[in-house]
């Protein structure tokens, strides 16, 4: 099995997508993993609030949950985790590598990945969102556990709500982006290139006459190379979401090779940062009316910035309104609770987050 096929199977496809050329050579997964991914379904979990309801018909329980969550979120606005300096506070770890959202540290044969509250889009940081780092990290931890029957991953432990300890790997410089709908607002999104007249994208032929947010006839792979500043296109689990009233619109996967040559899934899996989610119940009606789908990811924040500035070229961007930041934090929490069936536990924000992370990481490294 190729990495292309794994990406397809994890995304919920029962048949491989049309082949797209990839950089060569790429390691291959054992063919048995394809069979395993089909024969062993994801576990069904009852969502914390049942099937997600559309924004126009939220239950009283969901309204109360949102009100309670927004109180925590608003109190946490001044205390987001924007930067970390564990190389100064935890013995035995190396220098910091600052990513768009994660701060990464080396510790012998392991990596310490700290997911911050930074919100990244348009190849830059737009804002800091309370609890975002905790939600992303814990969402990935859940998905790593529930996709390990498809392929092994680099996850070792999560000693803190914001932290994952992972095996050190040689990362393949490719992100495997799987898309099921003609949508998006960034420069590399499928709708952006399609609206400019492009009909062959990353080896996939797109038919004429499609409209924005329309479902593709089959899911496609549009891999990108990774660079320090942005992702560049190259040629070349819907089921779980739908059970809880969501459409997994697109998502990305990253892979690497560990010291013994095993291919491992890395980084994050099906988080609201790496994926786009829409509410299933209202998708068809919104599309018929030419309306944007109800989403439960950061797309509405992207659109807000695009409407009031040029986020690619303006040197200084306006501050995102606090009410939008709070709404985004709530959507991240709602997605976590809907997918995992677990209640998100708000950490106390009276104590410095960095101090808590330093203590937990130091103890975890001592026990490795």
């Amino acid at each position: 099995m190729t990495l292309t096929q794994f990406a397809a199977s994890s995304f919920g496809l029962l048949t491989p997508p049309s082949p797209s050329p990839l950089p060569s050579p790429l390691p291959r997964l054992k063919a048995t993993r394809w069979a395993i991914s089909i024969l062993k379904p994801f576990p069904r979990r009852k969502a914390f609030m049942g099937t997600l309801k559309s924004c126009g018909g939220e239950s009283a329980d969901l309204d109360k949950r949102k009100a309670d969550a927004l109180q925590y979120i608003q109190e946490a606005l001044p205390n987001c985790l924007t930067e970390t300096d564990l190389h100064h506070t935890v013995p035995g770890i190396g220098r910091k590598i600052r990513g768009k959202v994660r701060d990464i540290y080396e510790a012998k044969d392991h990596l310490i990945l700290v997911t911050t509250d930074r919100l990244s889009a348009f190849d830059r940081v737009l804002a800091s969102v309370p609890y975002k780092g905790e939600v992303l990290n814990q969402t990935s931890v859940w998905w790593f556990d529930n996709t390990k029957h498809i392929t092994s991953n680099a996850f070792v432990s999560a000693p803190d709500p914001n932290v994952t300890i992972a095996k050190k790997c040689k990362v393949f410089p490719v992100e495997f982006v799987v898309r099921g709908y003609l949508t998006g607002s960034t420069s590399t999104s499928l709708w952006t290139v399609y609206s400019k007249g492009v009909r062959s994208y990353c080896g996939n032929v797109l038919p004429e006459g499609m409209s924005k947010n329309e479902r593709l006839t089959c899911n496609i792979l549009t891999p990108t190379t990774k660079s320090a500043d942005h992702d560049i296109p190259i040629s070349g689990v819907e089921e779980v979401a739908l059970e809880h009233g969501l459409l997994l619109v697109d998502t990305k996967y990253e892979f690497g090779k560990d010291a013994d040559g095993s291919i491992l899934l890395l980084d994050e899996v099906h988080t609201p940062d790496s994926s786009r989610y829409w509410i299933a119940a209202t998708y068809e009606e919104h599309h018929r009316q030419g309306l944007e789908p109800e989403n439960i990811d950061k797309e509405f924040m992207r659109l807000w910035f695009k409407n009031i500035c040029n986020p690619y070229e303006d040197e200084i961007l306006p501050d995102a309104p606090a009410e939008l930041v709070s709404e985004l934090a709530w959507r991240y929490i709602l997605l976590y609770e809907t997918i995992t069936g677990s209640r998100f536990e708000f950490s106390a924000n009276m104590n410095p987050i960095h101090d808590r992370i330093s203590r937990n990481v130091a103890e975890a490294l001592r026990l490795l």
Side-chain angles (χ1 to χ4, degrees):
M1 172 191 278
T2 66
L3 295 182
T4 302
Q5 290 171 316
F6 165 73
S9 65
S10 182
F11 193 66
L13 298 173
L14 297 184
T15 55
S18 301
S20 299
L22 294 175
S24 182
L26 278 178
R28 296 179 176 270
L29 301 177
K30 292 182 179 178
T32 52
R33 291 185 184 168
W34 173 255
I36 291 173
S37 69
I38 300 299
L39 297 174
K40 186 176 180 182
F42 289 107
R44 290 176 175 265
R45 297 199 180 190
K46 184 177 180 181
F48 170 66
M49 291 167 289
T51 301
L52 184 68
K53 304 211 175 158
S54 69
C55 295
E58 291 179 342
S59 66
D61 287 344
L62 188 55
D63 286 338
K64 184 179 185 304
R65 176 58 175 159
K66 181 175 182 179
D68 292 343
L70 285 175
Q71 183 174 351
Y72 283 102
I73 290 166
Q74 289 160 4
E75 290 174 355
L77 282 170
N79 194 31
C80 291
L81 182 66
T82 304
E83 297 292 341
T84 67
D85 293 293
L86 298 189
H87 52 310
H88 296 317
T89 60
V90 179
I93 66 175
R95 64 182 179 86
K96 177 173 74 174
I97 301 173
R98 188 181 189 275
K100 295 175 182 177
V101 174
R102 287 169 181 79
D103 291 342
I104 304 170
Y105 303 86
E106 291 189 6
K108 295 183 179 178
D109 295 329
H110 296 86
L111 294 178
I112 314 299
L113 295 91
V114 184
T115 309
T116 71
D117 295 328
R118 298 191 294 263
L119 175 67
S120 172
F122 308 110
D123 300 327
R124 62 197 301 177
V125 174
L126 302 180
S128 293
V129 179
Y131 297 106
K132 175 178 178 286
E134 295 186 28
V135 170
L136 292 184
N137 190 61
Q138 293 178 52
T139 300
S140 282
V141 169
W142 189 87
W143 278 112
F144 279 132
D145 184 53
N146 286 279
T147 57
K148 62 187 179 184
H149 64 281
I150 299 176
T151 191
S152 301
N153 56 65
F155 176 79
V156 175
S157 67
D160 183 273
N162 288 83
V163 178
T164 286
I165 296 180
K167 295 178 182 178
K168 187 184 296 185
C169 295
K170 181 179 181 181
V171 180
F172 300 140
V174 178
E175 288 184 344
F176 296 83
V177 184
V178 186
R179 306 179 191 270
Y181 294 77
L182 187 66
T183 191
S185 59
T186 63
S187 62
T188 58
S189 72
L190 200 55
W191 171 248
T192 299
V193 298
Y194 187 88
S195 64
K196 293 178 179 177
V198 175
R199 296 296 180 267
S200 179
Y201 189 60
C202 299
N204 300 283
V205 177
L206 304 172
E208 295 287 348
M210 295 190 71
S211 58
K212 186 180 183 184
N213 302 323
E214 186 175 343
R215 184 177 180 90
L216 301 171
T217 55
C218 63
N219 294 323
I220 64 174
L221 184 67
T222 58
T224 66
T225 60
K226 291 178 64 64
S227 72
D229 299 321
H230 60 280
D231 302 329
I232 307 166
I234 59 175
S235 293
V237 195
E238 293 171 302
E239 294 171 356
V240 175
L242 192 57
E243 286 177 9
H244 299 297
L246 300 172
L247 297 175
L248 179 57
V249 178
D250 49 45
T251 193
K252 71 177 179 68
Y253 305 100
E254 296 184 36
F255 299 88
K257 183 187 295 185
D258 69 6
D260 65 7
S262 299
I263 297 174
L264 303 178
L265 181 62
L266 312 175
D267 196 37
E268 59 183 323
V269 186
H270 301 163
T271 71
D273 261 19
S274 66
S275 312
R276 197 188 314 267
Y277 288 93
W278 292 340
I279 295 175
T282 59
Y283 164 72
E284 294 290 349
E285 182 62 26
H286 276 233
H287 187 62
R288 278 196 297 269
Q289 297 181 17
L291 302 174
E292 287 294 317
E294 292 181 295
N295 62 71
I296 193 168
D297 51 45
K298 64 182 180 181
E299 180 65 11
F300 80 97
M301 186 70 83
R302 290 192 193 102
L303 294 174
W304 183 84
F305 275 96
K306 282 199 73 174
N307 287 336
I308 65 170
C309 65
N310 185 335
Y312 286 109
E313 297 181 6
D314 292 353
E315 185 175 348
I316 300 176
L317 299 184
D319 292 335
E323 58 268 26
L324 285 187
V325 173
S326 297
E327 174 65 24
L328 182 58
W330 159 245
R331 293 189 188 196
Y332 275 49
I333 292 166
L334 176 60
L335 181 63
Y336 168 81
E337 294 187 342
T338 301
I339 291 293
T340 69
S342 301
R343 189 184 183 95
F344 179 78
E345 298 296 335
F346 292 94
S347 58
N349 264 280
M350 280 70 75
N351 299 320
I353 302 174
H354 197 279
D355 291 352
R356 183 201 75 205
I357 291 174
S358 296
R359 290 193 301 272
N360 289 339
V361 170
E363 177 63 14
L365 292 179
R366 187 184 69 82
L367 297 175
L368 277 180

